[in-house]
Amino acid sequence: MTTDSFEQTRWTLRDLLPARQGPEFDQILADLESAVAQLEAGRERLSPDLSTDDFRRFMALAEQIATLSNRLGYYSGLWLAEDTQNQDALAFQGRMHKLLTELENRTLFFDLWWKDLDDDAAARLLAASGDNVYYLESLRRFKPHTLSEPEEKIINLKDVNGVAALLNVYEMFTNAFLFKVEIDGEVKELTRDELTVYARDPRPEVRAAIYQELYRVYAEQGTVLGQIYQHVVRDWASENLTLRHFDSPISVRNLSNDIPDAAVDVLLQVCRENAPLFQRYFQLKADWLGLDKLRRYDIYAPLSTSDKTYPFGEAANLVLKSLGDFSPQLAAHARQVFAGGHLDSEIRPRKTSGAFCASALPGLTPWVLVNYAGRANDVATLAHELGHAVHGLMASDHTVLTFHSSLPMAETASVFAEMLLLDRLLADESDPAVRREILARSVDDAYATVMRQAYFVLFEREAHDLIEQGQTIDALSSRYMANLEEQFGQAVELSDEFRWEWVSIPHIYRTPFYCYAYSFGQLLVLALYRQYQAEGESFIPRYLKILAYGGSKSPAEILDEAGIDVASAAFWQGGFDVIADMIAELETLA
Ligand SMILES: [Zn+2]
């Protein structure tokens, strides 16, 4: 393994779009218009008897339109991310957005025709669809729960000023909340985002004060917010259970994630059984902080942190080495991001904050943006985003419609890359303080992503039932406290204001049952990592194959082929065993 020198640079977008004006750019627009016009011209030929050759021609046009649209759409987003105040980039994005929306409306008829087609005709055409089968099947997944056209129209029409309006009001109302708290002898008026930064403050009294203020404000409006939730849940039930005949409220989400109900039930049950694991960690954290018992306020309290920093070149080599030790192919893919100038790692004024990876097209090296500042966290972020890029490159044999992995699988390569880095860092690190910091950060992340999110969904399941039975908002709050008591056991002291936490979680309003996708993704990777630890080399080709599927099959099918049963408790338990090992090591460092 060679050690290369890497510098923090800006990226180049030339591979995505050679120019923003002039003949090459005009040609792209002309090609796009021509493909859309050809698709439109074929509209009259659409019928259940459509020949497979004709269908393939339609799909080729659909792919061409998606490819050219992605070039323009991704370019405008990435250009603006470089400098969020750039007036030219803003104007370009506005123009592209308008153009792409118009084109999308012109081609919408094709998707609608496909969704509406009878099953026999669809099966005949699917058999000739090659790599696009899963994409096409996904469009039809909701067909058994689709109502007649006039009924669907009425639902859409009434939703705009019904449940969608209610959600709008919830957001407008809660986004306007201001929180007053005294910090450093000064009374500050803060937004929720500004307030919750202090959940990681080293001072215990500040952490307590911000949580008390947060839920004081939500409790004041608790009846109104709780009533909004009741309406949202009743609307969910009357539409999805009564009219669309889903088996249960959560089945709606499971179908859109394409994960079997049984697998989600097992996942949530295994999370529940592992609550004592994190309780053990919270006890340990209380010891480190010199407390008898951790308060709920202290969950994210910082440990005395080491001030170790990593120069960018060292970080890049660490990430590449950790990937390369696992699979040289993965490291080679990650190197492509550096070599192609597709990594924007500099810190610049007006550059977008945070980090992301944009896999624009199959076969094009993805673009990665990070704001690298040299902390251990930044190295993990670099590994995470390069993991996404590697995933995109591994799936480059698929079409533009199938190479993006579906939501539950989207973090498979990114979190796995973080795990590989974690092992690498620990192998090289003998300072107990640094080891503790690295491991504790991973366990903190696992708590927030796996356990907390699973308990949100466990609450939602109960809440939908209670509301169906006609229970009050107070009954929901009491049930929420019971949910927290189960999650934290004797390890964490809960104060009463947390009974209002549920009315402050936008996800359970906006996208019911969404949160388990976080638990699924993170635990999946930990469970895979467990298999790697147990099997060594023989695991690697199976893992690479999972990545190479991209989004061309359902999560259950992809994992089934890798010998993984997502409805098996033992598989999910494997993920918790990795966390248990980390906690065991932390106990020896205490
Ligand atoms: Zn990610």
Side-chain angles (χ1 to χ4, degrees), residues 384-385 388 410-411 414:
H384 182 102
E385 301 306 338
H388 279 302
E411 299 298 332
S414 55

Side-chain angles (χ1 to χ4, degrees), residues 179-181 195-196 204-220 295-297 493-498 500:
F179 305 90
K180 276 194 193 135
V181 66
L195 182 82
T196 48
E205 68 282 6
V206 171
R207 296 195 298 266
I210 65 114
Y211 277 112
Q212 285 158 5
E213 173 64 3
L214 176 64
Y215 297 122
R216 183 191 66 78
V217 171
Y218 273 92
E220 242 174 41
R295 305 169 304 169
R296 171 60 187 82
Y297 310 133
E493 191 185 309
L494 276 171
S495 27
D496 204 48
E497 66 270 16
F498 284 92
W500 289 108

Side-chain angles (χ1 to χ4, degrees), residues 426-427 429-440 585 589:
L426 289 173
E429 188 59 68
S430 53
D431 180 347
V434 181
R435 290 181 76 83
R436 192 176 80 164
E437 188 191 344
I438 293 170
L439 280 165
E585 159 137 33
L589 294 172

Side-chain angles (χ1 to χ4, degrees), residues 141 209 221 240 244 264 269 302 308-309 317 354 357 410 427 476 518 523 545 554 569 586-587:
R141 207 182 297 146
Q221 304 300 338
N240 292 304
R244 299 190 190 277
V264 175
Q269 183 55 31
K308 177 154 179 161
T309 59
N317 278 300
C357 169
L476 291 170
Y518 296 119
L523 214 49
K545 199 160 177 202
S554 77
L586 281 168
E587 283 164 342

